[in-house]
Amino acid sequence: MKVNLGFGAHNSQDWDRVLAEDFSRPPTTPDWECVQGTLAIADLAEPLGFDGIWMPEHCGTPYGMTPNPIQALSYFAGRTERISLGTFVVVAPWWHPVRLAHQIAYLDIISNGRYDTIGIGRGVSKGEFDAVGVPREESRQRFNETLDILKLAFSGERFSYDGEIFQVPEMSLRPEPRSRDLFSRIYSSSSTAESLEILSRRGMVPLFVGNKPIEDAGREVQQVNIFRKEEGLPPCQPKNVMFMYCTPDALGAARSEEWIWTANRDVTVHYGFADASNFKGVKGYEAYAAREATATAVLASSVTADAKGAPKTPGYHASNLLIGTPDEIYHRIVAAQEACSFSELTIVPQFGTMPYDEALDSTRLFAEEVLPAVHEMAAPLHPAALPENALA
């Protein structure tokens, strides 16, 4: 099975200053140091034997700071020779589709066809949408029209498009991409049942970014394959993203609790999940408005309160955490693949306030003691993910 490294640059120590709106002073750690720390770990991917590098799209807060993942992957296309490249995800509504098509095609050329996971999503964060001047109410329509235009653009023919939002005059994609199968490389990330059905019926294969218990993701794979069967499509396997800290002993694993807590805090604040008013009345985000604290794009639980109203310590769902000794991590990967039938795994080796030197050591240990065994693992589509095994 292929194993990739996934990255987003986090300046998690800076959230206290941001939440206090204390912008009279700069961050204690400059953002550029966080970005360079992330790039340094990613530089290990090829020499350590990983199969790919993946990047997200985030800007405007200390969380995930990668404003253009295609730009970041272009950097690594020039620094590597073998590994594949992936996005988790390009947020389609923030792009003009023709511009996005050209950027994908150009990365395909300069990487010699190595951009093999074109992960695309429609975005969530109010702050990010506001910053680029795109109404969230339009996100689903923009996403769907973008998929239409990408399919036309990657067909190799001249094309035009007349949609509700985008109008494209007759044109050609120039430069044409090197690869002729780019549209089939598109994977979709969705967090609601409605989006999952819409995308599945369009033939999109899911990309799971740790946003639910792995068993729930497994049930969604079966549901995806039910929709695909109804559309005359063969069953598929998702690609999954999981969060990893590899340590020689159990004492090391205990250090990760703070990093998990801060990572949970980061996404909760960045996306505004703890306040349902961020989503109420926003078309396409009704599922988020219905819950005060929701599963996030990287977490399976958010900040909540106990019966007495006191804050509970937030945390990842255990099934999406690869934290422990090499042996423990290997067995967690085996169990997760059996539950979800993923064909490929991307691990995120740095999150929250985890120091970059800790992430480097963890990545090296995983590469030495876990990666060879996972490379030898089969990654089958298990019977539980097939439509014929659905409960009546």
Side-chain angles (χ1 to χ4, degrees):
M1 182 169 62
K2 289 179 64 175
V3 183
N4 314 300
L5 289 179
F7 300 94
H10 305 291
N11 196 347
S12 295
Q13 303 282 8
D14 194 43
W15 270 111
D16 289 343
R17 185 185 68 94
V18 171
L19 291 173
E21 298 184 354
D22 182 9
F23 300 115
S24 62
R25 56 188 177 90
T28 301
T29 301
D31 288 347
W32 65 263
E33 289 188 11
C34 301
V35 172
Q36 289 193 346
T38 298
L39 299 180
I41 304 173
D43 265 336
L44 293 176
E46 188 161 89
L48 289 180
F50 289 93
D51 298 288
I53 294 173
W54 287 20
M55 292 285 180
E57 181 170 10
H58 288 297
C59 64
T61 78
Y63 173 73
M65 305 176 295
T66 313
N68 184 340
I70 296 176
Q71 177 190 38
L73 292 175
S74 297
Y75 171 81
F76 284 107
R79 295 174 69 83
T80 58
E81 297 178 356
R82 170 188 60 80
I83 59 173
S84 64
L85 306 169
T87 43
F88 70 123
V89 295
V90 170
V91 183
W94 303 342
W95 293 74
H96 189 286
V98 173
R99 183 74 171 163
L100 178 58
H102 279 98
Q103 295 249 341
I104 291 171
Y106 202 79
L107 178 55
D108 177 61
I109 293 169
I110 65 175
S111 68
N112 292 320
R114 290 185 284 143
Y115 185 14
D116 69 359
T117 302
I118 307 172
I120 293 181
R122 68 182 178 101
V124 176
S125 169
K126 180 181 185 299
E128 288 179 304
F129 273 91
D130 289 349
V132 296
V134 173
R136 278 188 300 169
E137 293 83 353
E138 296 180 359
S139 68
R140 183 165 282 149
Q141 185 65 25
R142 284 174 175 265
F143 183 84
N144 289 336
E145 291 190 20
T146 295
L147 288 178
D148 290 340
I149 293 168
L150 291 179
K151 187 172 185 178
L152 292 169
F154 297 149
S155 69
E157 307 291 337
R158 287 183 63 79
F159 69 96
S160 62
Y161 187 80
D162 185 16
E164 292 182 19
I165 294 176
F166 298 108
Q167 292 77 46
V168 180
E170 185 174 327
M171 62 169 294
S172 299
L173 197 64
R174 303 297 297 271
E176 295 181 346
R178 171 191 175 111
S179 305
R180 296 299 178 186
D181 64 342
L182 285 182
F183 192 76
S184 68
R185 301 182 188 184
I186 294 179
Y187 288 73
S188 60
S189 177
S190 60
S191 296
T192 67
E194 183 181 5
S195 292
L196 187 74
E197 179 172 0
I198 292 170
L199 294 170
S200 299
R201 293 193 184 279
R202 292 193 62 142
M204 299 291 101
V205 178
L207 180 65
F208 291 122
V209 192
N211 61 337
K212 54 182 66 71
I214 200 73
E215 293 81 8
D216 290 354
R219 284 186 285 271
E220 286 196 2
V221 175
Q222 184 184 66
Q223 188 61 61
V224 166
N225 285 329
I226 290 173
F227 295 140
R228 289 175 65 90
K229 184 177 182 179
E230 291 172 354
E231 300 297 325
L233 299 169
C236 69
Q237 293 179 259
K239 295 187 180 184
N240 277 45
V241 177
M242 303 179 76
F243 298 80
M244 185 278 296
Y245 176 63
C246 190
T247 177
D249 52 56
L251 291 177
R255 292 200 302 273
S256 68
E257 292 182 6
E258 175 197 341
W259 310 330
I260 296 166
W261 192 96
T262 52
N264 197 347
R265 182 272 319 271
D266 293 359
V267 293
T268 298
V269 177
H270 173 81
Y271 287 107
F273 283 130
D275 182 358
S277 67
N278 287 318
F279 304 100
K280 287 179 180 176
V282 183
K283 180 182 176 182
Y285 294 87
E286 293 84 359
Y288 294 100
R291 44 195 173 175
E292 290 295 330
T294 180
T296 71
V298 287
L299 305 172
S301 61
S302 186
V303 177
T304 58
D306 63 19
K308 297 180 179 180
K312 288 172 59 179
T313 301
Y316 291 95
H317 192 276
S319 62
N320 276 305
L321 278 176
L322 301 175
I323 292 179
T325 64
D327 185 63
E328 289 171 336
I329 287 177
Y330 173 76
H331 286 98
R332 285 180 179 270
I333 293 172
V334 171
Q337 201 285 325
E338 289 177 353
C340 193
S341 289
F342 52 77
S343 63
E344 189 173 325
L345 176 63
T346 295
I347 60 172
V348 177
Q350 197 280 333
F351 46 86
T353 51
M354 181 191 297
Y356 282 95
D357 58 352
E358 291 274 4
L360 283 165
D361 290 344
S362 166
T363 302
R364 292 189 179 101
L365 182 61
F366 180 98
E368 180 180 349
E369 299 196 20
V370 184
L371 184 61
V374 179
H375 273 157
E376 294 180 2
M377 274 179 56
L381 178 61
H382 295 281
L386 297 174
E388 52 266 31
N389 295 313
L391 296 175

